Amino acid sequence: MAHGELAAWLRLLETPGVGRESARRLLAAFGSPQAVLEASTAARRQVVPAGPAAALEREPATLAALLDATLRWLEAEPQRHVVTLGDPDYPARLLATADPPLLLHAAGRLELLAAPSVAVVGSRHPTRQGLDHARAFAAHLSRAGLAVVSGLALGIDGAAHEGALQGPGGTVAVVGTGLDQVYPRGHGELARRIAAQGLLLSEYVLGTPPLPGNFPRRNRIISGLSLGTLVVEAALQSGSLITARLALEQGREVFAIPGSLHSPQSRGCHALIKQGAKLVETAQDLLEELCLPTTAAAAAGPREPATGGNEDEDGDPLLAALGWEPVTLDALAARTGWPASELNARLLELELRGQVARLPGQLLQRIASA
């Protein structure tokens, strides 16, 4: 992209008072950001209200610095790109949504924008079981040749990216900051791996900090890039439910994994299922619902349960006593009749083997093989 063209796009994006809707209407009327800026205020007022039409007469004071920073960012790595509406690389599924971003910053495998993809989202405070499900489902989908889209947040998002990096499908992380920043900071190494093996994506210009309002807005991109959205775990007020709602508004499929009746992190998924989301127990269920080619479905490997399992696994009476619902230590002691010292010792062994997790509220839960 020529420097002048990039400057015009950034000016259209960054001029105060010119929102995404006005910018899209101006682009539809005049054809390019350069033509929008060259038009008279009177001509622009035929398309948008007087405020945004006049605002474009004044160049933002920060434009020169932003243009310089963006050019230096692009030149630093060959896999960095700026993709605009009308660009051949702009993802067709996202373009078909009601509110496509005008400009995307991308770092990594740009071809993933056109790849078949599924969003995997969920709680920032998941259970151990939820993390296992997110990794396992994402790994299966990636091995089936699908890119896994998520938001680089703590919890389910991070686990989904990690799982997807295990397969050839790769992963797309849609972030709520400029791509010169990583949020949360603890995902710095994961972001570097995604830039090398997958794709980092943002509609926000460089230097944009992690503002609270940016994250709900970026959810429309997560769902818009994807054939469907899988919610792994979500409380009733979870941001993941926003992504699911946006997916439905965009005409995409929504899937949810059921969980324990006693877990707050399952209530959002159960609410979605009541509202018509498709209940899935395996990655194969999701692939079949999306009517993907048989070859892709076969590549996902064998059907493995997302929940439940053999109550007598390894012939262990304590695992059988635990069952699959969260349970208190007192209740477990009553079921087994074991003294507290022996019970705690055995529970510690199972925790170390990854077969039992401790939940908030002094609850214990058996972990299924995801």
Side-chain angles (χ1 to χ4, degrees):
M1 185 186 300
H3 291 191
E5 183 182 359
L6 178 58
W9 277 105
L10 293 175
R11 181 170 171 180
L12 188 60
L13 279 170
E14 291 299 290
T15 297
V18 181
R20 294 194 303 265
E21 178 60 29
S22 291
R24 275 194 297 271
R25 289 166 61 186
L26 289 165
L27 287 170
F30 295 100
S32 72
Q34 295 99 316
V36 170
L37 296 174
E38 290 168 2
S40 66
T41 298
R44 290 194 291 264
R45 286 187 63 179
Q46 300 300 310
V47 181
V48 296
L56 287 167
E57 290 292 334
R58 301 178 296 278
E59 180 177 303
T62 58
L63 181 64
L66 177 59
L67 175 62
D68 181 63
T70 304
L71 290 170
R72 285 188 282 108
W73 179 81
L74 288 167
E75 292 164 359
E77 298 285 347
Q79 285 191 302
R80 291 177 177 176
H81 312 271
V82 168
V83 181
T84 62
L85 281 175
D87 191 304
D89 291 317
Y90 197 95
R93 283 187 298 275
L94 189 57
L95 188 62
T97 62
D99 186 16
L102 302 181
L103 181 148
L104 294 166
H105 296 74
R109 296 168 54 193
L110 197 62
E111 69 272 15
L112 292 184
L113 290 179
S117 58
V118 171
V120 178
V121 298
S123 173
R124 285 176 168 81
H125 306 285
T127 66
R128 164 69 184 278
Q129 188 73 81
L131 290 173
D132 288 349
H133 288 338
R135 290 191 190 95
F137 270 74
H140 275 244
L141 294 171
S142 182
R143 292 188 191 113
L146 278 76
V148 172
V149 184
S150 200
L152 200 65
L154 294 172
I156 295 299
D157 287 19
H161 291 307
E162 290 168 357
L165 289 172
Q166 299 175 26
T171 189
V172 179
V174 184
V175 303
T177 66
L179 285 192
D180 56 340
Q181 302 185 40
V182 175
Y183 182 84
R185 290 184 180 180
H187 276 173
E189 179 57 31
L190 178 58
R192 284 187 284 274
R193 289 175 59 204
I194 294 171
Q197 303 173 48
L199 183 69
L200 292 172
L201 196 66
S202 178
E203 69 174 320
Y204 298 108
V205 298
L206 300 180
T208 302
L211 302 173
N214 290 354
F215 296 92
R217 278 196 290 272
R218 64 90 197 267
N219 290 351
R220 79 190 194 286
I221 302 176
I222 294 174
S223 58
L225 286 170
S226 308
L227 298 167
T229 293
L230 170 65
V231 183
V232 177
E233 280 188 338
L236 285 174
Q237 302 302 318
S238 171
S240 303
L241 302 190
I242 297 175
T243 309
R245 175 179 56 78
L246 291 167
L248 288 172
E249 292 173 357
Q250 293 163 342
R252 312 297 164 82
E253 298 287 353
V254 175
F255 308 93
I257 298 176
S260 168
L261 297 176
H262 304 287
S263 172
Q265 303 297 15
S266 297
R267 289 174 187 160
C269 291
H270 294 169
L272 288 173
I273 292 168
K274 289 177 184 177
Q275 295 162 19
K278 294 179 173 63
L279 184 155
V280 294
E281 297 177 305
T282 68
Q284 185 71 21
D285 292 341
L286 191 150
L287 292 168
E288 291 171 358
E289 285 287 348
L290 290 174
C291 300
L292 290 169
T294 304
T295 51
R303 293 175 65 95
E304 298 181 20
T307 57
N310 183 352
E311 291 283 5
D312 297 317
E313 181 182 351
D314 299 327
D316 192 316
L318 183 52
L319 286 176
L322 275 162
W324 295 104
E325 294 291 319
V327 63
T328 64
L329 186 62
D330 287 344
L332 195 56
R335 290 179 190 177
T336 61
W338 294 359
S341 58
E342 181 180 356
L343 186 56
N344 280 315
R346 285 289 293 117
L347 285 169
L348 179 59
E349 287 180 28
L350 294 175
E351 283 187 78
L352 294 173
R353 284 159 50 186
Q355 292 178 284
V356 170
R358 294 186 184 270
L359 306 180
Q362 297 183 323
L363 294 172
L364 299 154
Q365 185 173 34
R366 183 175 171 181
I367 300 299
S369 176

